[in-house]
Each structure stands twice: as C-alpha cells, then as structure tokens.
Amino acid sequence: ALEPCPSWARTQFANGALIDDALTAAGPALPLWSEFPLPEFNVSTLTDVRGSGSILPVQADGVNFLTPPRVVITTDLDNEFDDWPAVIWALLGSVGDAPSLSVEAIYIEPFSFRWQTVLKVIAYKIEQKPEEEVSGLEAAFLAVYQTTLDNMRLNGFTPQTWVETDNHAIWCPERSIAESLASTQRLVGLLAQAGGDDAEEIAALADTPILAGSTAYLTGSDPSVPLESDAVSDLIARGRAVTDPANDPLYVVCIGAPTNIAAALLQAPDLVQKIIVVWDGAWPSDDETHAATGSFNAGSDPLALRVLFGSGVPLIFAPGFPSLMDLQLSRPEVEAWLSGRGPVSDAIYTRFLANPDLQPYGIGEYNEAGTSRIQWDIGCMVPFIAPGLLTTVRQPAVDIVQVAASCNGLFNSCEGVRPSYDSSGSGGGGVAIATSCATPNLDGASCRDGYFYPADPPRPDLIEIQVYWGIASPTSIMRDLLVKLQAAGL
C-alpha cells in the first residue's frame, strides 16, 4: 500500500474506501480552500518602479536597469528539468560589467505529483480487473489514462512500481524539499569551478544562500497555523528590510507552486508594499474555459494561488499556456550544446535525459525525431536578462474562485456551478458545469478546481506576459546561457 503524505492526511484521503488498498488515511476534512478567510491586505499601489512606468525590471525604453534589481528565487528544482537552466541563467546573469539582476537567495518550494499520480494508480487497478467486472464508468475512466499507462510500460514501469519502490512520482511535499535542497546545493556548488575573466565573481555564487521552504502545502494543512520555514522567515526579513520599494523593491521569482510566498504573505501582510512577484503557471487571466488551477504550479496548492492573486501584491504573471509553450528544447540540441562542455553543462544535460516526467506522465525521453521539451520556468528570468524577447500587457486583477461541484468517485464526471466571468468586471451568477476535474480532492466526491474571476474589490492591474520569442534562435535565451557557461568553462 502507498502510505499517505503526512501533511495531506486530513483532507486528501478522507475516503479510503475509494482508493481501496492503494491509499489509506483518516482524519476529519478541513474546510475547502475557498472558505479560508484571507487577512485584510493593505493592497499595494506600486505601479511604477524607478520611473519606468511599470513594475517590470526595465527602464522606460525597455532595456535593463543600470543598477540590477534585487531578486530571490523560489524553486521546486527537482520537480522537472526546466528549473535547472533557469536557476543557472539567473545566477550567471548577476555577474560581469553589466549584471541584469542580483540574486540574493534561493528558496526551495514543495512539490508532489501525488495528486496526479494517484488517479493513474486507480486506472491501473481497473486495468487489472477481469473485463467482465469493469463497469461502464470504470471503462470510461480507464480510457482517459490508457495511453499514459501504455507509455509507462514502454519506459519500463507501471503504477505498481510507484507503490513498491522509492521514486519521484510518489514523493510527498516533505520529501521533495529534502531532495530539491540537496540538488540545488550540488548544482549551485558547481559554480565554484568557474574559470575565465569572471571566475572569481562566478565562483562566489556557489555561496548563495539556499534555504528550505515549507514541507507542506497550504492546501491540505490547517491554513490558520503558520507554515514556518527558513525560506519564509528569510523572505519576510528581506522584504521588510526594503525601505524604498518605488526605487529598490525585492523581486520574488517563483518557479513552482507559490506556497512559500503565500505563507509569507499570510504571516506578514505588509509585504505587499515591499515586494514584486514574478510567477509562472495556469492559463491567461481572462481565460473562461480552463481551470486556473489546471497546471502543475497552480493546481498543486490552490489556496496559495488564491493568496497570491488575492493579496494585491504587485504581480508579473507568465501564463504557462500558451506563452511559455514557445520555449522548447530538444535532445539533439542539448547533446550538441551541453554534453561534455563543463560541470554545470553536464549536470543540466544529465537532468534533461533523466527528466522525471518519465514517471508521473509516462512521457518518453525526448529522443524521438521531432520531439522537444518545454522550458516553462526559464521564462520567468526573461524580464530581467532579455526583456526584448517578450511582450506584456496590463490585465485587470483577478481572484481565484473555487468551483462548487460534486464528482462521481472517479473524477471523470463532476457536476456543479462555477462563477461566470464577466469581462466588464462584475460577476453574473454562475455557469453550470459537467466536466472532468483538473485538480481533484481525493475524497472521491469533490473538486478543487478554481477559475479566474474579476477581483472583488478591484485592485491594481497585473502585468501579464503574452509572447516569448523562442529558446533556440541566434538571439535567444539558450544562446545567452550557453555563451556565459562556455566563457566560464562551465
């Protein structure tokens, strides 16, 4: 049996009978994430940094600030491949004669694929049943995951492997913090081997503070009890030390679930006046079709997402779909550009080959002709290092509102009501839904999907990134990173 995650036991597995012997747990369910009362935030009015007319870290003419902006990065590094080049690109962008940013600390975000992989465990259990014992409902559920199960076998494992072995697909948030912390320390530590003209400055980056974040999500724990961690304490201290946010704010670049940021905002609501957040995930804020919680960074911790958007903290928002999908990288490219080029390049290359998508999603090794891997998280560094590669737009602030739906026990049929989105800025009743659930509660009966909804009360606009210009062109993100790596012998 797959033991439940300690931090999820009270809410994620309230109905052990649903999942039979695959998962068990006990304990009373806590209120829905939408029901937790947020504190009274003194919404930030910061809309102009250094006279640029925007909260983006660039001057009015679109080029980098003369004095690099202060940045902390919060990352779920071991989640998948894309965090690795993103963190290194940011660090290398903070050295030289004209640094693009100044990375002060790196925080580790929790992650877990458990809320996604458990559905595949259920599908696998259905697949093992005699055909005459499979109900129509179960057959429909299995059909959704059949291709994924087949691809897993091609990669040499099944959901049974998750239950029997120690692997990335079933890590709990507690385990992910420990693994990502160790990996980040190893990766950043490789910068000590730098050579070239900036060797001393780059080598010093190996000592960048790396701090563990929360070992639990806000969603699934008791949100009235502060999620304390070294990362959250450091973020609060650095944020409160900001004395002139209009000229020198602290940028918090989040390339994972926004758990650490939300935990800090709940403990220190005054941070909304001090920091600017850059975050990637979800769909565009005016998307009425898709659940805002339908991506990994967004759906892992819906309550944290609600705090992030509902706090009024200045936000530069990079939707994962479709903007970041433009950032693609293939295996032939990483073999040609990274393999054998230096210790950091080799580490990034090795991670690409062993990207954990192999397990929770059954995705291949990106070695077939014409296949590539999306580099989601590196996009959050573009506003600092290569602002000319993106297009942004101001969008009205939004809230994340949870759908009110009940499910059939297998999540492929959920019925209820979600708020309607009125683009004029006011709500208009609700929209009936009959759909699958993108972010299920594993109680077999409820859905934790959330949708964007006009902010109530209205708050300052957010900056939304709409277009990137690719990753592998002569003026691209990857070229800039490669030049810096090769100049330093890394």
Side-chain angles (χ1 to χ4, degrees):
L2 186 62
E3 292 299 321
C5 297
S7 61
W8 288 1
R10 286 176 295 177
T11 55
Q12 293 295 325
F13 310 114
N15 183 353
L18 162 71
I19 314 173
D20 195 8
D21 60 347
L23 289 163
T24 58
L30 293 172
L32 297 174
W33 59 263
S34 60
E35 296 177 356
F36 176 69
L38 299 186
E40 290 292 331
F41 291 101
N42 186 9
V43 176
S44 176
T45 58
L46 180 62
T47 59
D48 184 356
V49 176
R50 301 189 193 181
S52 66
S54 170
I55 59 172
L56 287 164
V58 293
Q59 299 179 98
D61 57 3
V63 301
N64 297 88
F65 285 146
L66 298 179
T67 303
R70 300 169 54 218
V71 170
V72 294
I73 300 169
T74 181
T75 172
D76 55 355
L77 190 95
D78 258 10
N79 162 34
E80 54 187 346
F81 165 77
D82 56 335
D83 295 71
W84 292 54
V87 168
I88 292 299
W89 193 39
L91 288 169
L92 293 180
S94 64
V95 302
D97 295 334
S100 301
L101 68 169
S102 175
V103 179
E104 297 186 357
I106 299 172
Y107 306 143
I108 305 303
E109 286 281 359
F111 73 86
S112 178
F113 288 98
R114 185 74 73 95
W115 60 278
Q116 296 177 326
T117 56
V118 71
L119 301 180
K120 292 145 194 164
V121 172
I122 297 172
Y124 179 74
K125 289 168 67 65
I126 294 171
E127 188 184 48
Q128 305 309 302
K129 295 172 68 172
E131 184 175 353
E132 62 272 15
E133 297 181 12
V134 176
S135 70
L137 181 64
E138 289 175 325
F141 179 83
L142 176 59
V144 174
Y145 293 100
Q146 189 64 67
T147 299
T148 299
L149 294 176
D150 292 343
N151 288 341
M152 288 177 188
R153 292 188 183 91
L154 292 176
N155 291 334
F157 57 88
T158 70
Q160 188 68 29
T161 310
W162 299 340
V163 178
E164 295 175 347
T165 63
D166 176 37
N167 66 81
H168 177 276
I170 59 158
W171 284 351
C172 295
E174 298 90 337
R175 175 70 180 278
S176 75
I177 288 289
E179 297 287 346
S180 286
L181 179 64
S183 293
T184 306
Q185 290 168 336
R186 287 192 298 267
L187 178 64
V188 175
L190 294 174
L191 296 173
Q193 303 178 41
D197 294 341
D198 297 319
E200 184 175 350
E201 195 175 1
I202 294 174
L205 296 173
D207 296 323
T208 301
I210 302 170
L211 303 172
S214 171
T215 57
Y217 293 130
L218 282 173
T219 310
S221 59
D222 185 345
S224 66
V225 178
L227 289 183
E228 297 180 345
S229 68
D230 291 342
V232 170
S233 296
D234 190 80
L235 175 54
I236 292 173
R238 290 181 189 275
R240 283 179 165 167
V242 172
T243 58
D244 185 9
N247 288 294
D248 193 23
L250 179 67
Y251 284 89
V252 184
V253 179
C254 180
I255 50 177
T259 303
N260 290 334
I261 297 173
L265 288 169
L266 289 176
Q267 295 175 48
D270 53 299
L271 288 184
V272 300
Q273 306 293 334
K274 307 278 192 174
I275 67 174
I276 297 172
V277 176
V278 184
W279 177 76
D280 68 317
W283 299 79
S285 60
D286 58 357
D287 189 304
E288 301 180 45
T289 304
H290 300 93
T293 51
S295 75
F296 188 81
N297 285 358
S300 293
D301 196 349
L303 177 53
L305 190 68
R306 178 173 168 236
V307 172
L308 174 63
F309 279 85
S311 67
V313 68
L315 178 62
I316 301 170
F317 169 39
F321 307 96
S323 293
L324 299 183
M325 297 176 74
D326 199 33
L327 305 179
Q328 303 270 350
L329 196 61
S330 69
R331 180 167 180 170
E333 289 169 325
V334 297
E335 286 181 338
W337 299 338
L338 294 170
S339 179
R341 298 282 184 166
V344 175
S345 296
D346 279 336
I348 295 173
Y349 169 69
T350 300
R351 186 60 172 182
F352 185 95
L353 297 188
N355 190 55
D357 280 357
L358 290 168
Q359 296 232 19
Y361 301 129
I363 297 175
E365 297 185 22
Y366 313 108
N367 57 0
E368 298 179 3
T371 63
S372 60
R373 180 68 174 80
I374 300 173
Q375 306 308 295
W376 312 95
D377 292 338
I378 204 168
C380 281
M381 309 306 172
V382 173
F384 300 91
I385 306 173
L389 296 180
L390 59 83
T391 299
T392 63
V393 64
R394 289 183 181 273
Q395 291 282 61
V398 291
D399 288 322
I400 311 297
V401 179
Q402 188 168 5
V403 67
S406 58
C407 302
N408 61 4
L410 291 176
F411 308 108
N412 58 350
S413 179
C414 299
E415 297 182 355
V417 176
R418 69 171 174 86
S420 63
Y421 187 108
D422 185 337
S423 59
S424 68
S426 60
V431 176
I433 62 167
T435 183
S436 59
C437 183
T439 47
N441 278 324
L442 300 180
D443 58 4
S446 61
C447 179
R448 63 178 186 176
D449 284 358
Y451 287 80
F452 287 127
Y453 195 65
D456 182 21
R459 297 186 295 274
D461 293 346
L462 57 85
I463 299 295
E464 189 167 303
I465 293 171
Q466 289 194 325
V467 177
Y468 286 95
W469 299 107
I471 197 169
S473 64
T475 58
S476 74
I477 297 166
M478 200 65 196
R479 177 171 174 79
D480 186 80
L481 172 59
L482 291 170
V483 167
K484 290 170 179 173
L485 284 170
Q486 292 169 16
L490 296 171

